[in-house]
Amino acid sequence: MSAFISISDLHKVYRVGGGMIRPGQPLHAVRGISLDIEKGATYGLVGESGSGKSTVAKIVMGAERPSSGAVHIDGRLMDGRSKSLSWLRTCLQPVLQDPYGSLNPTMRIRDLIDEPLRIHRKDLTARQLILRVNNLMAQVGLPSSLALRHPRELSGGQKQRVAIARALALSPQCLVLDEPVSALDVSVQAQVLNLLHDMQSESGLTYLLISHDLAVVAHMSDHVGVMYLGALQEQGPVEEVLASPRHPYTRALMAAAEPERGSLTEPLQGEVPSPLNPPLGCVFHPRCSAASERCRRDAPLLRQVAPAHWAACHYA
Ligand SMILES: Nc1ncnc2c1ncn2[C@@H]1O[C@H](COP(=O)(O)OP(=O)(O)O)[C@@H](O)[C@H]1O
Ligand code: SF4
Ligand SMILES: [Mg+2]
């Protein structure tokens, strides 16, 4: 199998608090992420807020440039030039968290859905556009009676379906889903996730799915990557990582996602440290109940603990 998305040793450093003369302080938002996503598969990236997930998504979508490292999409190196960006638009589309903010409130639903087609597919006739919008609305489970409505007249779940229909308009091969259901009620979350799942079974879409909620990622993904302070702490096939998590941070996220299981692991204490001043040694040590002297001194490397299963803990 070939990887549709391949990320190698990706770093992103922002400069914060700088001025005209002083260069700002470096904020290492992503530190050396490598991962492959197979065609037609779902890779779930999970971690608390601030762990660098959206930065990875923005780089994959071409909205940010990496400080170092490389992203290949379908074998093609993304170099940030306009040629590779316009190619990227045709094969990869984002679906973002906020179905309220991302849809222009003055536009009708059908105009929102056919906008990408009107911009990028000038060859389509008016009649073809109408047919395509009708198809897209049916595909995402929106009744055609909503075509002439405005976003404010729709529920949160319906708005996220509009965002998905828009993303599908140009028939991409891949969706980057950054917290796609976080703004929705729990009951509606499952409906939207099931829609995404069905769409993938039908058309072989590749998904990079990002969520702070391990339950969402576990439900949808083939592979999972657990991020903390910009780095992958654990990575592997989802069943295996959930059945035998090797990193204390993964275990803590599992305990937080399923408190009723009566897990032996304590839920997470304290806050994520600032990436401007990350802890020495293992970045997780101030919150880790298994931390030793060695953890405070030496940073663990991500190492293979089973075939395709990696963890960054001295005691994994
Ligand atoms: N444009 C930016 N400038 C400066 N810092 C940023 C910028 N974008 C994100 N960050 C910082 O990078 C870190 C990772 O952010 P983000 O990728 O949004 O994490 P997540 O999506 O996991 O919540 C955070 O500390 C955030 O404040
Ligand atoms: S290396 Fe040490 S501090 Fe880090 S996760 Fe493992 S046990 Fe905890
Ligand atoms: Mg985010």
Side-chain angles (χ1 to χ4, degrees):
M1 275 207 285
S2 61
F4 186 76
I5 297 182
S6 179
I7 298 178
S8 50
D9 201 19
L10 193 69
H11 288 259
K12 180 69 184 179
V13 182
Y14 291 111
R15 293 271 163 186
V16 295
M20 297 277 276
I21 303 163
R22 216 162 37 98
Q25 238 186 309
L27 185 152
H28 222 134
V30 175
R31 334 176 148 251
I33 296 265
S34 298
L35 58 89
D36 281 344
I37 312 179
E38 303 299 331
K39 230 180 187 119
T42 299
Y43 188 104
L45 210 46
V46 65
E48 286 164 287
S49 172
S51 53
K53 307 179 300 296
S54 293
T55 303
V56 172
K58 285 178 195 155
I59 293 171
V60 169
M61 294 185 295
E64 292 272 9
R65 291 288 299 143
S67 303
S68 65
V71 175
H72 286 83
I73 312 273
D74 208 10
R76 203 168 155 149
L77 176 67
M78 294 297 103
D79 58 11
R81 293 184 199 191
S82 58
K83 201 170 165 196
S84 72
L85 286 173
S86 57
W87 174 81
L88 192 63
R89 287 291 142 273
T90 65
C91 74
L92 180 145
Q93 285 287 325
V95 174
L96 306 178
Q97 169 170 1
D98 182 12
Y100 307 91
S102 59
L103 302 177
N104 182 338
T106 64
M107 286 171 73
R108 297 176 308 177
I109 300 309
R110 72 162 318 111
D111 302 327
L112 283 163
I113 295 176
D114 76 8
E115 188 179 39
L117 294 164
R118 282 184 280 116
I119 296 171
H120 296 282
R121 292 291 310 273
K122 296 201 192 299
D123 57 308
L124 296 181
T125 63
R127 169 145 187 82
Q128 285 171 321
L129 276 181
I130 291 174
L131 285 176
R132 181 81 181 118
V133 172
N134 292 349
N135 270 336
L136 286 164
M137 289 185 72
Q139 203 181 339
V140 301
L142 283 171
S144 53
S145 58
L146 295 180
L148 302 179
R149 301 285 180 82
H150 289 89
R152 65 172 179 280
E153 299 173 89
L154 271 55
S155 68
Q158 285 172 330
K159 274 185 272 211
Q160 199 56 310
R161 286 172 196 264
V162 174
I164 294 169
R166 250 172 90 88
L168 292 178
L170 298 171
S171 310
Q173 291 170 271
C174 173
L175 296 183
V176 174
L177 303 147
D178 190 355
E179 305 275 6
V181 297
S182 304
L184 305 176
D185 292 343
V186 173
S187 59
V188 183
Q189 287 192 3
Q191 295 167 14
V192 172
L193 292 176
N194 288 339
L195 167 68
L196 291 167
H197 192 269
D198 293 347
M199 281 169 22
Q200 184 175 48
S201 319
E202 280 160 29
S203 33
L205 284 158
T206 305
Y207 290 159
L208 170 58
L209 170 68
I210 288 171
S211 180
H212 67 280
D213 185 344
L214 183 62
V216 167
V217 162
H219 178 65
M220 294 286 290
S221 308
D222 305 295
H223 259 73
V224 59
V226 180
M227 270 184 91
Y228 188 74
L229 276 180
L232 280 173
Q233 306 300 330
E234 182 154 12
Q235 184 177 32
V238 74
E239 316 80 49
E240 186 177 320
V241 170
L242 295 180
S244 73
R246 303 295 188 95
H247 197 288
Y249 184 57
T250 311
R251 290 199 284 269
L253 289 180
M254 287 173 67
E258 292 195 334
E260 67 279 9
R261 276 267 190 100
S263 152
L264 295 175
T265 305
E266 286 179 34
L268 278 164
Q269 309 284 334
E271 302 282 307
V272 182
S274 165
L276 284 170
N277 187 18
L280 293 175
C282 172
V283 286
F284 187 56
H285 87 251
R287 302 172 81 193
C288 182
S289 53
S292 68
E293 204 42 55
R294 183 182 177 202
C295 304
R296 285 180 263 278
R297 193 183 58 228
D298 302 332
L301 295 174
L302 196 61
R303 63 191 170 87
Q304 200 164 7
V305 292
H309 188 175
W310 301 69
C313 170
H314 292 307
Y315 309 105

